[in-house]
Amino acid sequence: MRIAVTTQKENLEAEVESRFGRAPNFIILDTDTMAFDVVKNAQSLDLPQGAGIQAAQNILPHKPEAVLTGNCGPKAFRILQAAGIKVVVGVKGKIIDAVRAYLNGEYKPATDANVEGHWG
């Protein structure tokens, strides 16, 4: 299974970033091998709006089955959900621990965004 996790750093000991759209990086982790790639999200960081949309489009080519993050807005949530990607919000702690918790069923996919989008 491939899982994308929001993070500020570039290793599995880093903390899960609470913001999906403005996360500096995504770690794309293969849970079978624990090998991972880092996908930079720099293009989304300074956008006045649409950061979540851009971030979602940034990870779609990496084909994760799930995204683990702290918070996800409605536009990004819809894009990810439409692509068949499970969105898991409320995730905290070290990436490696969060992935294990998800695989153990401690985190469940969300049914909707958990924060308001930024309009205007």
Side-chain angles (χ1 to χ4, degrees), residues 21-22 42-52 54 75 117-120:
R22 300 210 185 265
Q43 72 281 3
S44 298
L45 298 181
D46 295 325
L47 291 175
Q49 62 187 31
Q54 182 63 47
K75 292 178 186 177
H118 296 282
W119 310 100

Side-chain angles (χ1 to χ4, degrees), residues 6 8 33 38 42-43 54 62 69 74 80 83 100 110 120:
T6 54
Q8 296 218 6
T33 64
V38 177
Q43 72 281 3
Q54 182 63 47
H62 301 278
T69 189
L80 295 168
R100 286 184 182 131

Side-chain angles (χ1 to χ4, degrees), residues 70-115:
N71 299 292
C72 186
K75 292 178 186 177
F77 188 91
R78 282 193 296 271
I79 290 169
L80 295 168
Q81 194 172 46
I85 299 170
K86 296 176 180 117
V87 181
V88 183
V89 296
V91 180
K92 297 179 182 176
K94 290 183 180 181
I95 291 169
I96 191 69
D97 296 335
V99 168
R100 286 184 182 131
Y102 174 69
L103 293 174
N104 288 333
E106 296 172 39
Y107 286 114
K108 301 289 184 200
T111 56
D112 206 350
N114 70 328
V115 292

